[in-house]
């Protein structure tokens, strides 16, 4: 952490976020997918990104696991490090918003305060919290990475939903029923983006 930043001065770009949005032909925004492991976050976000691409919309998907291979490889899953993980991703998403992109994130992001921190960092007008509401029992049955099995056996600790808390959003911007099909859920998000005048199709 930088202790003395008096010599750091923010550099304003000659091209604004609004000008980049006009170039791309759509607003820039963060679509923050949250839910249990196995809830369908990455699958739905990936499906949505594919549709946006086919529509000529500039977007990028920030996947939690991918980011832990690089940007956040030095962090573990303690409460402190989870908060730092979310902070870093929020800062990256903020830069991408300034670039005029639609940013999709697929992260468990289990705590109210961390999600609120990112909303405040980015601004409510550019942040949509999307809760993939999938029952824990279904997520555990799916167990696409075998993580629930490891957590139940004690081989994996601090696992959300087993021995670490998940604080579900109380008032998400979009509430998706994770038991529905990927096609239905993707279309629900696309419809929401259209009625909010974020995209046109």
């Amino acid at each position: 952490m930088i202790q003395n930043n008096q010599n750091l001065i923010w550099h304003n770009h000659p091209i604004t976020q609004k000008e980049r949005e006009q170039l791309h032909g759509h607003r820039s925004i963060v679509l923050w997918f949250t839910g249990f492991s196995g809830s369908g976050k990455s699958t739905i976000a990936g499906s949505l990104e594919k549709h946006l691409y086919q529509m000529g919309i500039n977007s990028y998907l920030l996947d939690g696991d991918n980011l832990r291979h690089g940007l956040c490889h030095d962090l573990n899953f303690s409460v402190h490090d989870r908060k730092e993980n979310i902070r870093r991703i929020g800062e990256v998403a903020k830069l991408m918003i300034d670039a005029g992109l639609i940013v999709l994130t697929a992260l468990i992001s289990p705590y109210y305060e961390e999600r609120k921190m990112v909303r405040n960092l980015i601004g409510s007008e550019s942040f949509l919290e999307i809760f993939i509401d999938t029952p824990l029992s279904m997520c555990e049955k799916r167990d696409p990475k075998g993580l629930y099995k490891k957590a139940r056996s004690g081989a994996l600790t601090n696992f959300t939903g087993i021995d670490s808390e998940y604080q579900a959003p109380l008032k998400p911007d979009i509430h998706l029923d994770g038991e529905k099909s990927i096609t239905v859920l993707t279309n629900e998000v696309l419809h929401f983006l259209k009625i909010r005048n974020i995209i046109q199709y």
Side-chain angles (χ1 to χ4, degrees), residues 60-64 66-67 89 92-93 96 103-107:
Y60 194 83
L61 171 57
L62 296 171
D63 182 80
N66 290 357
L67 290 163
I89 296 169
V92 171
M96 289 186 161
V103 186
L104 305 90
T105 71
L107 310 159

Side-chain angles (χ1 to χ4, degrees), residues 57-178:
I57 292 172
N58 296 278
S59 65
Y60 194 83
L61 171 57
L62 296 171
D63 182 80
D65 279 7
N66 290 357
L67 290 163
R68 280 189 175 272
H69 279 280
L71 178 70
C72 302
H73 78 278
D74 58 321
L75 302 176
N76 59 39
F77 290 90
S78 67
V79 172
H80 175 273
D81 278 13
R82 283 187 165 193
K83 181 176 181 178
E84 174 60 14
N85 180 61
I86 297 302
R87 187 196 69 80
R88 292 184 192 180
I89 296 169
E91 292 286 359
V92 171
K94 184 179 179 181
L95 292 173
M96 289 186 161
I97 284 291
D98 190 51
L101 305 178
I102 289 182
V103 186
L104 305 90
T105 71
L107 310 159
I108 295 174
S109 47
Y111 304 120
Y112 297 127
E113 286 304 314
E114 279 67 36
R115 297 192 301 264
K116 180 181 178 181
M117 171 184 67
V118 178
R119 182 186 290 273
N120 291 338
L121 173 69
I122 292 170
S124 292
E125 72 284 352
S126 297
F127 182 92
L128 291 177
E129 183 179 58
I130 304 175
F131 177 34
I132 313 297
D133 190 357
T134 308
L136 180 62
S137 58
M138 176 172 282
C139 296
E140 189 165 0
K141 184 178 180 181
R142 291 174 178 172
D143 202 10
K145 304 171 187 174
L147 299 179
Y148 286 99
K149 184 178 181 180
K150 289 182 179 179
R152 290 295 186 188
S153 71
L156 182 63
T157 58
N158 294 325
F159 190 71
T160 303
I162 304 301
D163 58 352
S164 184
E165 183 182 13
Y166 178 75
Q167 299 173 344
L170 300 177
K171 294 181 179 180
D173 298 290
I174 305 176
H175 191 149
L176 298 179
D177 180 351

Side-chain angles (χ1 to χ4, degrees), residues 1-2 8 10 31 35-36 42 46 48 52-53 68 79 93 96 100 112 127 139 147 164-166 168 197-199:
M1 180 180 294
I2 297 175
L8 299 178
W10 184 264
L31 307 180
F36 287 120
S42 294
L48 180 61
L52 293 174
Y53 175 82
R68 280 189 175 272
V79 172
M96 289 186 161
Y112 297 127
F127 182 92
C139 296
L147 299 179
S164 184
E165 183 182 13
Y166 178 75
N197 294 316
I198 296 167
I199 64 172

